Amino acid sequence: MAAPAQLKAVQHHLRTAQEHDMRDPVVAYYCRLYAMQTGMKLDSKTPECRKFLVKLMDQLESMKMELSDNESITQEVVGNAHIENYALKMFLYADNEDRAGRFHKNMIKSFYTSSLLLDVLSVFGELSDENIQHRKYARWKASYIHNCLKSGETPEAGPIGMDLEQEADGDEGFSGCAIMQGGSFRGVGGASSQDPGSGGTAVSGIGFTGGAESVLSGPPSNLGNVHIPPGAHAPANTPADAVKPVPMPRTAGVVDPALLHSQQQVSPCPPSPAGDVHLSAEDFTKAQKYCKYAGSALQYEDVSTAVSNLQKALKLLTTGQE
């Protein structure tokens, strides 16, 4: 069902939901939830919009029943981690392709779709500053590379000077339509609309079909002014077509001495009876999130990040303070 013109702002989120119905129903559910919540704010009074939103609500209720045994639907903190990890995994794939100078439709679409999924995170609350920057960078990069290839120019690889306050949807000639609707352009300078390592198979959808070296070459330390927290992008649930994480060469993890010092100040065992520490629901949610990030970091054998997050969770649970 096509969205009315008044709800144009969420049409790409709905298209992303449709593309993920079979690939990842959790992503599809939250994309539709975001579209419904945003649509209610945009226009819930005109007959066509009200009719569209009622159908969308019915679809969401049906999906919620079908996925009633999925923790990503029943527990917000798990759903939040699922969407965030999926979005940042996609962002990392596109960034690695960009830095390697491999400009193609799949990479551009991955940048743009990651920005849409970062929009979707707002259903769980306000976005973190890092995710706001990731969203702006991804949308800007998708616009920049798309416009370069469309005009026959060779994009500059990797982070370059830009205005992070500029949203791609405001760029002339770019609205995401060509990317999301399967538009094409001729690559230049060795760039291709085919995915590297796919053996010449044309790219379709959002799948990660590149080789492991392009998807999992390790997290970038920063993107100009955009910093990706180590371990925060290694998802517990990777996209369906993603190459499974391959452990990086094993090295002794370097743990910040300051963290060890702080651990000495906070006893590994609860310093006082459990009854003396009063934890709120928000505290439990934060502790779960720290543990999720620690688990994600361990997928890349990032020991220092895992230790740091576990220490944060331990301190919060034993003292009630961060």
Side-chain angles (χ1 to χ4, degrees):
M1 54 182 175
Q6 300 95 313
L7 305 181
K8 182 180 178 181
V10 298
Q11 65 179 345
H12 295 313
H13 302 85
L14 290 169
R15 183 177 292 273
T16 299
Q18 192 174 27
E19 290 174 341
H20 284 78
D21 276 329
M22 298 300 293
R23 183 190 304 278
D24 190 326
V26 171
V27 170
Y29 174 83
Y30 282 113
C31 283
R32 289 192 174 95
L33 181 60
Y34 170 83
M36 190 270 291
Q37 291 181 353
T38 304
M40 292 290 288
K41 297 173 185 176
L42 292 173
D43 187 344
S44 61
K45 296 182 179 180
T46 59
E48 57 181 334
C49 288
R50 187 163 59 245
K51 181 179 179 181
F52 177 83
L53 291 171
V54 167
K55 285 185 177 180
L56 189 55
M57 288 179 193
D58 291 341
Q59 188 175 12
L60 281 167
E61 283 300 316
S62 177
M63 291 184 72
K64 193 170 184 178
M65 290 181 64
E66 292 174 6
L67 300 171
S68 60
D69 59 346
N70 192 315
E71 286 189 348
S72 293
I73 301 298
T74 59
Q75 297 185 34
E76 271 197 8
V77 67
V78 181
N80 189 344
H82 185 103
I83 300 300
E84 183 174 30
N85 288 333
Y86 193 106
L88 294 177
K89 180 77 174 181
M90 187 171 284
F91 180 98
L92 177 61
Y93 163 78
D95 180 61
N96 284 341
E97 292 294 279
D98 175 35
R99 287 168 180 265
R102 294 188 289 263
F103 306 110
H104 51 87
K105 176 186 170 185
N106 201 33
M107 176 262 277
I108 297 173
K109 187 172 183 182
S110 293
F111 262 138
Y112 188 68
T113 305
S114 72
S115 76
L116 298 178
L117 294 178
L118 289 169
D119 284 339
V120 172
L121 281 178
S122 64
V123 304
F124 303 104
E126 292 186 11
L127 296 185
S128 66
D129 291 340
E130 290 88 352
N131 283 337
I132 290 173
Q133 288 187 319
H134 293 157
R135 180 178 63 182
K136 289 180 178 179
Y137 182 86
R139 201 160 289 175
W140 177 84
K141 260 295 184 178
S143 169
Y144 167 70
I145 298 172
H146 176 267
N147 289 336
C148 282
L149 297 183
K150 187 177 180 181
S151 62
E153 300 175 14
T154 303
E156 186 174 340
I160 57 177
M162 67 170 192
D163 179 5
L164 277 175
E165 296 304 318
Q166 178 183 16
E167 292 284 359
D169 281 348
D171 289 350
E172 183 177 354
F174 181 85
S175 64
C177 292
I179 295 173
M180 299 302 288
Q181 295 176 358
S184 63
F185 43 71
R186 294 183 179 277
V188 294
S192 170
S193 60
Q194 297 175 345
D195 196 26
S198 64
T201 303
V203 172
S204 63
I206 307 178
F208 299 101
T209 52
E213 69 281 358
S214 67
V215 181
L216 297 166
S217 60
S221 59
N222 62 70
L223 300 169
N225 293 325
V226 182
H227 176 66
I228 300 180
H233 53 358
N237 298 291
T238 57
D241 288 349
V243 178
K244 295 297 182 183
V246 178
M248 302 296 287
R250 188 181 296 275
T251 57
V254 179
V255 180
D256 186 348
L259 294 176
L260 297 178
H261 178 66
S262 65
Q263 186 181 31
Q264 292 172 354
Q265 295 177 335
V266 180
S267 172
C269 299
S272 57
D276 293 345
V277 179
H278 301 285
L279 300 175
S280 66
E282 184 180 0
D283 290 331
F284 284 112
T285 297
K286 288 180 179 178
Q288 289 181 56
K289 202 164 188 178
Y290 285 137
C291 291
K292 282 280 182 183
Y293 284 155
S296 294
L298 288 175
Q299 290 192 33
Y300 282 96
E301 299 188 357
D302 186 349
V303 177
S304 60
T305 299
V307 170
S308 174
N309 280 292
L310 289 172
Q311 287 175 334
K312 290 177 181 178
L314 179 62
K315 182 178 179 181
L316 180 60
L317 293 173
T318 56
T319 68
Q321 299 177 349
E322 290 190 81

